[in-house]
Amino acid sequence: MELECLPYGVGHADEGVCLLVRMGPYRILLDCGLEDISPLVSERNLPLPADLVLCTHAHPDHARGLLALHQAYPKLPIYGTEVTTQLLPLNWPDVEPAEKLFFCQALPWRSPVEFRTGLGAQLYPAGHLPGGAAILLTYTAPQRTYSLLYTGDCFLSNSRLVDGLPLEELRGLGPDVLILEGSYGTARYPHRRNQENQLAERINQAIAQRRCVLLPTSALGLGQEMLMLLRSHHHFTGRDMDIWVDGAVATGCDAYLELLPQLPTSVQNFARHQPLFWDERVRPRVRRLSPEQRNSIGKSPCIVITDDTADLSEFCQPDTGPWLVLMPEHPGQPLVNHQPLTWHPQPPNSITVETYLLAQHCDGPATTQLIHNLRPQHVIFVHGSPNYLADLTNLDELRNRYQLHLPAAGTLVELPIGETFMQPEVADTHYEGELTEQGTVVTITFPEAIAADPRWPHFADTGLVEARWQGEELVLRGLSQRELLSQATERDVPVDIECCGNCRHYRGQRCWNQASPLFGFKVTSDGYCPVFEPIQAPPPAQAEDDDEE
């Protein structure tokens, strides 16, 4: 029995995911997110690069090469869920519909499908995106049945428009091989609902300050999740304001409306009482933004959702705003830099850029939970920053139980079943330091080897760090230039105003006065509460003059 995996793309940085799996005599291509499919076309001069293709979901980094692959090999069967087949064409907006539709065949949920003698598959919801599937491949040989589970992009938690991966259905599955994404590495993040509430609170504060909010997002997934959040969150329901949706995000909304029967029951119930997206009757009003309107909105507070590839200066025009631009964070990946924001002739402080996290993948604890529940023999980590994936392979709780692999593109991974396996040596990511207390200062020193990690320049960008307790552990986080500039902007308030920016308890954009109802919360610099205390007390002379009067 031959069981092996040859990655053509493993999802590092902008690299798409494309994996060729061999099970016995069969070759199965899992996803095709390559921009250039030439490695597949030249595959050993075979008539077809694989026996069949399975696509987990419609995001470009998993699907953008499928059309070119179909055009090169029209007889190569390509499969996905019914929802994925309908969303795939959005990856090629400039191609005529007749040329790009109907090449992907739909497979049912949870029902075994046999493609060839002994080779079958079964699809389970993976969360992350409507139609997203985890694929269980099985091959029945004379000796036994071999199994491989590929999650694609997966998320255990429910989001606004997608139910999470049903872990109960897969518990104890025991596949021989698990190919798993590790986008967030070992990082731990708050629950998705907490993240949504934090984001809604920040947008609510901006609108209360008479700001316009600009949200660049991906065309599929995050854009629609954001719009559903704004439609249903208590901060915005019934509020007299406009939400504008632009470009490919609006096209994605139209596609979701066609899929309404496939969306969660809660979403279908919502749609029975009011339109899911486009609605000019119920507040807040949701409207499609035409290109001609881009430079005319922003005269009054509003929210704009647009493509993450858009030229943002077309929105932040003179005599509009001020603007708050909220950029999505992708842990382990660099933040998209929209250069037009740096040169557009706007007044000082009229454009503020901040980031937010709205998780779409499993964090570290959820990833390890998934592995322990599935109990595979081999685990192949793909999709994510190489450093984040290395952090997962360094976890003792995984290294001691499973055979872990972290392949690069073009590296063949052999997967012997039932054989003794010695884990390869990996670089140690733990650093021992020293702690010194010196009067009013505490100093923590580490060896210089820590600076050799590629993540160090980002961590040490400004030379400033923030520390917080996480249980019994102290977590350090580097402060970026963007964050410092944002804090400096918020602190730019007149010194004679009794507001949070001039209060002695205002630090790190939060209130630390235990007597305040805002204690522990993130507050704006121009906020106010009854227990305000100035940073500096009035000069003694002034106090004496007041007493004489």
Side-chain angles (χ1 to χ4, degrees):
M1 168 62 188
E2 292 184 10
L3 191 59
E4 60 188 25
C5 176
L6 175 61
Y8 289 103
V10 291
H12 294 169
D14 294 331
E15 179 186 69
V17 178
C18 184
L19 310 168
L20 182 66
V21 168
R22 178 190 291 274
M23 300 185 76
Y26 301 117
R27 295 170 300 131
I28 306 99
L29 194 67
L30 301 175
D31 285 333
C32 187
L34 304 177
E35 290 191 17
D36 178 10
I37 66 165
S38 56
L40 292 172
V41 175
S42 60
E43 168 64 16
R44 304 176 188 176
N45 297 318
L46 296 173
L48 292 176
D51 294 299
L52 63 129
V53 182
L54 294 170
C55 178
T56 57
H57 64 287
H59 273 153
D61 58 338
H62 290 256
R64 61 188 159 209
L66 287 177
L67 178 60
L69 188 64
H70 169 68
Q71 292 171 340
Y73 301 100
K75 295 184 178 180
L76 177 63
I78 300 174
Y79 301 96
T81 65
E82 181 179 350
V83 172
T84 296
T85 62
Q86 297 181 57
L87 293 179
L88 277 177
L90 300 183
N91 286 287
W92 311 286
D94 299 327
V95 179
E96 291 296 327
E99 299 179 36
K100 64 186 180 184
L101 296 180
F102 310 122
F103 67 81
C104 184
Q105 304 174 51
L107 296 178
W109 289 115
R110 298 178 174 89
S111 296
V113 176
E114 188 172 25
F115 302 110
R116 300 282 201 285
T117 302
L119 177 67
Q122 199 165 348
L123 273 55
Y124 295 90
H128 181 70
L129 186 75
I135 301 171
L136 176 62
L137 282 170
T138 56
Y139 171 66
T140 303
Q143 314 92 307
R144 55 166 287 185
T145 296
Y146 297 87
S147 60
L148 179 149
L149 180 67
Y150 171 48
T151 65
D153 288 350
C154 67
F155 195 29
L156 297 186
S157 300
N158 294 336
S159 51
R160 294 277 168 172
L161 293 164
V162 191
D163 289 334
L165 183 147
L167 187 57
E168 286 291 336
E169 296 184 37
L170 300 175
R171 178 169 288 121
L173 181 65
D176 297 304
V177 180
L178 170 63
I179 303 179
L180 177 66
E181 64 134 329
S183 300
Y184 293 170
T186 57
R188 180 190 299 267
Y189 295 109
H191 191 272
R192 168 68 179 238
R193 281 292 183 263
N194 293 339
Q195 297 173 27
E196 290 180 349
N197 289 332
Q198 291 175 8
L199 176 59
E201 177 62 30
R202 183 65 189 99
I203 296 175
N204 180 51
Q205 290 177 356
I207 297 297
Q209 296 167 355
R210 307 293 298 172
R211 285 181 172 270
C212 299
V213 179
L214 183 57
L215 298 162
T217 73
S218 55
L220 270 183
L222 184 57
Q224 290 73 34
E225 289 281 333
M226 187 76 68
L227 187 53
M228 191 63 182
L229 170 62
L230 296 172
R231 293 276 282 154
S232 56
H233 198 276
H234 65 87
H235 277 320
F236 308 104
T237 52
R239 196 164 187 167
D240 186 12
M241 60 177 295
D242 292 319
I243 301 174
W244 298 93
V245 187
D246 182 44
V249 180
T251 304
C253 290
D254 293 337
Y256 272 52
L257 293 176
E258 296 293 326
L259 304 172
L260 188 57
Q262 308 279 356
L263 298 181
T265 303
S266 59
V267 179
Q268 298 181 43
N269 291 338
F270 181 95
R272 289 191 182 99
H273 297 89
Q274 63 186 79
L276 194 58
F277 297 129
W278 314 123
D279 191 349
E280 298 195 15
R281 180 179 58 86
V282 177
R283 300 175 180 177
R285 295 171 294 273
V286 181
R287 298 173 172 174
R288 188 188 304 269
L289 182 66
S290 65
E292 297 77 19
Q293 294 173 300
R294 283 188 178 186
N295 58 5
S296 62
I297 63 170
K299 306 291 185 181
S300 60
C302 63
I303 299 174
V304 181
I305 304 177
T306 187
D307 307 340
D308 53 12
T309 57
D311 182 351
L312 303 188
S313 65
E314 294 186 11
F315 302 94
C316 305
Q317 295 286 332
D319 302 323
T320 66
W323 290 86
L324 172 65
V325 182
L326 291 174
M327 307 290 294
E329 293 180 17
H330 302 285
Q333 307 294 343
L335 184 68
V336 176
N337 182 24
H338 286 273
Q339 294 296 333
L341 288 175
T342 63
W343 56 257
H344 197 282
Q346 282 276 36
N349 302 329
S350 65
I351 300 178
T352 302
V353 181
E354 297 180 10
T355 62
Y356 67 92
L357 176 65
L358 206 56
Q360 302 177 79
H361 306 263
C362 295
D363 65 357
T367 298
T368 55
Q369 176 192 9
L370 179 58
I371 295 172
H372 292 325
N373 276 274
L374 292 174
R375 300 180 182 177
Q377 178 178 343
H378 294 270
V379 181
I380 302 176
F381 287 110
V382 297
H383 199 291
S385 161
N387 293 309
Y388 276 35
L389 297 178
D391 289 344
L392 285 167
T393 60
N394 276 321
L395 290 175
D396 287 339
E397 64 173 299
L398 298 181
R399 290 173 53 80
N400 295 336
R401 302 185 187 183
Y402 313 103
Q403 300 175 21
L404 308 180
H405 308 269
L406 183 56
T411 303
L412 180 67
V413 181
E414 296 182 350
L415 302 163
I417 303 302
E419 298 183 11
T420 303
F421 179 81
M422 297 297 294
Q423 289 287 1
E425 291 295 326
V426 293
D428 188 3
T429 56
H430 295 80
Y431 302 93
E432 293 186 359
E434 295 182 356
L435 186 149
T436 307
E437 297 184 41
Q438 300 171 332
T440 60
V441 177
V442 176
T443 303
I444 301 176
T445 58
F446 292 104
E448 63 179 358
I450 196 172
D453 191 288
R455 291 168 285 190
W456 179 258
H458 177 73
F459 177 86
D461 183 27
T462 61
L464 299 175
V465 297
E466 179 184 79
R468 62 179 174 84
W469 289 105
Q470 183 173 292
E472 296 297 319
E473 297 180 346
L474 185 65
V475 179
L476 297 178
R477 182 178 70 88
L479 296 177
S480 65
Q481 294 185 29
R482 185 187 301 276
E483 190 170 358
L484 291 180
L485 288 173
S486 174
Q487 292 180 10
T489 300
E490 289 206 358
R491 291 298 296 266
D492 187 17
V493 294
V495 296
D496 58 343
I497 295 180
E498 293 186 358
C499 61
C500 294
N502 295 324
C503 180
R504 61 189 298 265
H505 299 287
Y506 179 75
R507 297 188 305 277
Q509 297 178 282
R510 293 182 183 272
C511 174
W512 298 106
N513 186 350
Q514 295 187 9
S516 171
L518 300 175
F519 174 68
F521 286 96
K522 207 166 187 178
V523 296
T524 58
S525 59
D526 57 354
Y528 171 78
C529 76
V531 289
F532 166 81
E533 296 182 32
I535 296 176
Q536 294 181 343
Q542 181 64 44
E544 291 174 4
D545 292 343
D546 292 342
D547 291 341
E548 291 177 3
E549 293 178 3

